[in-house]
Amino acid sequence: MWSIRMRASSGRTHVSGAETLSRQEDIITVASSFLLRALCHKKGMPSEIVITVEKLKESPSSVAPLPVKTLDCPSPEQAKIIIKQLLKKEGVSEISIKKALSIVYSSTTMRGASLIDIKTGRRLEPDKSRGVRVSRLGLEEASEERLSGILEKLGINTTRVKEALILASKVASCPGIVAELCISDDPDYTTGYVASKGLGYQRIPNIKEKGSLSGGRVFFVKSGSNINRIIRYLEKRPVVVSVEK
Ligand code: WAQ
Ligand code: MG
């Protein structure tokens, strides 16, 4: 198995990124689809595109996809209420929720995710402007059709949903991470989610106003966790999502 990663930027501004795992025979197809994505991004033409193709040193472990649910939500105001309710259920404190909201609703976006202590609201990622980028994640080949089938039934079988669900399923499997909050930084994409092992993947429509440049991800971390270990898992540990028959 190979890890394929893409990052596109314009000066110091991050334009787009993507990562997946691939079999050797699919490297060219996957890498060119990432290149195409970088060249056609809504946020504009990047001035630099980096594609990394790297053979994995360890074989991936597999996790099940989180169960998917789409909530009713008419507005960003309502979305904030829903986010608070869900995160509270997972033991995230008021102050940590506030901090997270200020990050994901800010118009300065990061390339990766912020890590926030569930009690104190403190940010734990070493590089606050970049964040932590989850990498080395993918979908087991035999599960591709099964996952498409599940999402098809829900009317959401898109690359974006698939990639977000795969990411959320890896993140939820990371020891020490309690929950995740995500808003796309794409101005036209207004559905976000809250995810955790217990809550599953809960989609929130109208999480932001159409045209808004804000977006981001926050991973909520159990107090006292070993941060380096968490980052190593998120960035380096190969994980594939596998759907049972
Ligand atoms: N690791 C960590 N953070 C990431 C990663 C990653 N691999 N990829 C993106 N981010 C962060 C980064 O701060 C981006 O600004 C932010 O997340 C949003 O990324 O069910 O499209 O790729 O309908 O714009 C979720 C809902 C869509 C899908 C998420 O995110 C659905 C999306 P985007
Ligand atoms: Mg985006």
Side-chain angles (χ1 to χ4, degrees):
M1 287 287 267
W2 291 69
S3 162
I4 305 184
R5 311 192 284 280
M6 177 277 287
R7 105 181 112 85
S9 52
S10 233
R12 288 212 302 280
T13 316
H14 170 71
V15 177
S16 83
E19 41 275 296
T20 192
L21 299 176
S22 160
R23 298 179 309 172
Q24 189 160 320
E25 52 266 50
D26 298 327
I27 292 174
I28 291 179
T29 315
V30 173
S32 29
S33 77
F34 280 0
L35 186 56
L36 193 66
R37 198 191 293 196
L39 292 170
C40 301
H41 203 272
K42 285 228 178 59
K43 280 164 99 186
M45 185 67 187
S47 58
E48 193 186 26
I49 302 167
V50 180
I51 294 189
T52 308
V53 178
E54 191 181 59
K55 191 168 184 167
L56 292 184
K57 290 182 196 81
E58 49 182 329
S59 53
S61 50
S62 53
V63 302
L66 294 173
V68 178
K69 183 178 173 188
T70 302
L71 303 173
D72 265 326
C73 177
S75 67
E77 291 67 45
Q78 188 61 32
K80 284 178 192 161
I81 295 170
I82 293 172
I83 291 166
K84 283 179 196 161
Q85 280 171 350
L86 291 173
L87 291 174
K88 258 191 193 157
K89 268 197 219 164
E90 292 303 283
V92 183
S93 73
E94 196 103 22
I95 190 172
S96 305
I97 296 173
K98 231 174 142 184
K99 185 84 208 175
L101 290 173
S102 77
I103 292 170
V104 295
Y105 282 102
S106 151
S107 51
T108 32
T109 53
M110 298 156 69
R111 187 146 85 77
S114 177
L115 300 179
I116 291 187
D117 183 297
I118 56 162
K119 271 213 191 97
T120 63
R122 258 192 53 207
R123 292 178 67 170
L124 306 168
E125 71 277 15
D127 182 341
K128 309 267 183 300
S129 59
R130 177 186 181 273
V132 173
R133 187 93 191 171
V134 186
S135 190
R136 295 171 177 84
L137 72 175
L139 181 58
E140 188 200 54
E141 224 215 324
S143 298
E144 256 159 51
E145 272 180 38
R146 281 177 233 148
L147 185 64
S148 290
I150 294 172
L151 297 176
E152 195 64 58
K153 272 193 204 136
L154 302 169
I156 49 171
N157 188 23
T158 64
T159 303
R160 190 190 294 268
V161 173
K162 245 184 236 165
E163 287 183 350
L165 178 61
I166 290 167
L167 186 145
S169 302
K170 175 175 177 181
V171 170
S173 76
C174 177
I177 294 187
V178 167
E180 174 187 356
L181 168 63
C182 168
I183 300 183
S184 173
D185 57 12
D186 186 328
D188 290 336
Y189 203 81
T190 57
T191 300
Y193 66 84
V194 169
S196 75
K197 257 201 192 132
L199 298 166
Y201 181 84
Q202 302 223 19
R203 304 176 68 239
I204 306 172
N206 302 304
I207 199 165
K208 71 172 187 179
E209 227 64 79
K210 210 169 178 84
S212 158
L213 294 172
S214 63
R217 275 187 163 94
V218 170
F219 305 150
F220 297 93
V221 173
K222 220 180 270 171
S223 305
S225 300
N226 181 329
I227 291 304
N228 291 331
R229 206 160 171 169
I230 288 179
I231 295 175
R232 210 179 320 124
Y233 185 95
L234 295 173
E235 292 182 338
K236 301 278 159 56
R237 182 81 255 247
V239 169
V240 288
V241 166
S242 145
V243 184
E244 260 178 60
K245 256 188 257 171

